[in-house]
Amino acid sequence: MLDGRGDASLTAKLIKCWQRKLHPLSSSCPSVPEGFSTGKVSRMELWNSTMGSGFILVGILDGSGSPEVLCATITALYFLALTSNGLLLLVITMDAQLHVPMYLLLGQLSLMDLLLTSVITPKAVADFLLKDNTISFGGCALQMFLELALGSAEDLLLAFMAYDRYVAICQPLSYTILMSHKICWLMIATSWILASLSALGYSIYTMQYSFCKNRQINHLFCEIPPLLKLACADTSTYELMVYLMGVIVLILPLTAILASYSLILFTVLNMPSNEGRKKALVTCSSHLTVVGMWYGGASFMYVLPSSFHSPKQDNISSVFYTIVTPALNPLIYSLRNKEVTGALKRILGK
């Protein structure tokens, strides 16, 4: 049996072992004598050690068969996202003819995509090139908050964009009333505020857990589901809360989007003008393509039960909605739009 000082000494050694990225019961750690429980390593000690040492991100680049090619692809997608979203934001900001609700919402979508991919991609690429996958406790919390806030804001914004298209096509005579600039900016503010408050609450609650299993997060970035797998305590109740959040933030807006586009499709099919029908279908098909890419990956991660997908599949789906989708959104939505290309020519011609 150990006395109090022996317990304290062994606890300190186990904490150092933990800080070297090893599990306290690893064979590389000091042997644990009979009668000593690893439970004697207090929650506060483990929590403090996590804060001091942070985590290790083991994402898709580390487990890929061709990591160099994948890294180059992700880097190219990031620069495409920077260029296309930045260009679209510039055009919408500078051209007064695009200061209408549809393009103001599109501008916000580009801003969210630009910020979201910038939260994830540069660090992932830098970690791979520098062979240093560590992230501090505070950095992990910040990255989680920003990803949740931006992702949730985009969920809500896409629903508002679907409503905008519904009013424009199904209620054109009431458009200036139902989608005034005041209502448009209220939608934008609602997306940012609700998403930020939700993200703040979930980030704080997630990071209050003590993480004693190991420091290795099998994910490209700090996200709730993979991080909870490292927690010491039972997280089943909180995981249910995260699941309910996924249903509310993802499924409810998706339901509103599908309802809006169902009504739009019904209206479009009854249009007398072939040209009007074609224009409406092209616009709506672009929007639905973006919705499918975004909600598909996010729903896979947050709504589908964890038993139905592996960490590798989680990595792939996360890459899809945080890196691939932000790069393609402007191309699908607006840069092939005649009004946007016309505005771009006017700006470049000045």
Side-chain angles (χ1 to χ4, degrees), residues 27-270:
S27 59
S28 301
C29 293
S31 58
V32 180
E34 184 180 354
F36 181 85
S37 170
T38 54
K40 292 182 179 180
V41 182
S42 71
R43 284 174 59 89
M44 184 58 70
E45 286 171 316
L46 286 168
W47 194 74
N48 285 340
S49 98
T50 307
M51 287 194 69
S53 54
F55 302 97
I56 303 167
L57 296 170
V58 182
I60 193 171
L61 290 172
D62 300 279
S64 170
S66 303
E68 293 82 7
V69 174
L70 185 57
C71 182
T73 303
I74 288 175
T75 303
L77 285 171
Y78 177 62
F79 281 110
L80 176 61
L82 285 181
T83 305
S84 57
N85 284 294
L87 192 59
L88 184 56
L89 270 172
L90 177 68
V91 169
I92 292 174
T93 302
M94 294 187 64
D95 194 284
Q97 294 183 31
L98 298 184
H99 292 178
V100 294
M102 174 183 173
Y103 291 107
L104 291 176
L105 293 173
L106 280 174
Q108 290 296 310
L109 180 69
S110 287
L111 177 61
M112 291 173 185
D113 280 338
L114 191 62
L115 294 174
L116 178 62
T117 193
S118 295
V119 168
I120 308 299
T121 312
K123 175 162 179 56
V125 173
D127 286 353
F128 176 76
L129 295 177
L130 299 175
K131 307 299 181 186
D132 180 14
N133 290 13
T134 58
I135 184 170
S136 67
F137 185 91
C140 185
L142 179 61
Q143 189 181 54
M144 181 189 300
F145 166 73
L146 292 174
E147 187 272 331
L148 284 174
L150 293 165
S152 300
E154 188 158 334
D155 294 334
L156 297 172
L157 189 72
L158 286 171
F160 288 136
M161 291 173 70
Y163 172 77
D164 170 72
R165 289 301 83 209
Y166 161 74
V167 176
I169 295 172
C170 301
Q171 306 285 338
L173 298 179
S174 304
Y175 185 78
T176 54
I177 298 173
L178 297 176
M179 277 302 300
S180 64
H181 275 69
K182 183 178 180 180
I183 292 175
C184 178
W185 284 110
L186 181 61
M187 289 177 172
I188 292 170
T190 299
S191 298
W192 282 104
I193 293 171
L194 288 183
S196 298
L197 291 175
S198 173
L200 182 62
Y202 276 96
S203 298
I204 291 174
Y205 198 92
T206 300
M207 300 309 288
Q208 59 86 32
Y209 281 105
S210 55
F211 304 100
C212 59
K213 292 183 179 178
N214 59 57
R215 293 173 54 208
Q216 183 172 298
I217 302 174
N218 292 318
H219 207 59
L220 187 66
F221 56 94
C222 286
E223 200 165 14
I224 293 176
L227 194 58
L228 289 180
K229 294 177 182 178
L230 309 183
C232 306
D234 177 23
T235 61
S236 55
T237 302
Y238 182 55
E239 286 178 37
L240 179 60
M241 291 173 58
V242 173
Y243 174 79
L244 293 176
M245 176 197 70
V247 171
I248 293 171
V249 176
L250 289 167
I251 301 303
L252 290 184
L254 180 59
T255 302
I257 290 170
L258 294 177
S260 296
Y261 281 112
S262 297
L263 294 171
I264 289 171
L265 182 61
F266 179 78
T267 303
V268 166
L269 293 177
N270 288 286

Side-chain angles (χ1 to χ4, degrees), residues 9-24:
S9 175
L10 184 55
T11 294
K13 291 178 181 178
L14 289 173
I15 290 293
K16 288 181 180 179
C17 184
W18 150 261
Q19 290 174 332
R20 295 202 317 269
K21 315 174 188 178
L22 300 171
H23 189 282

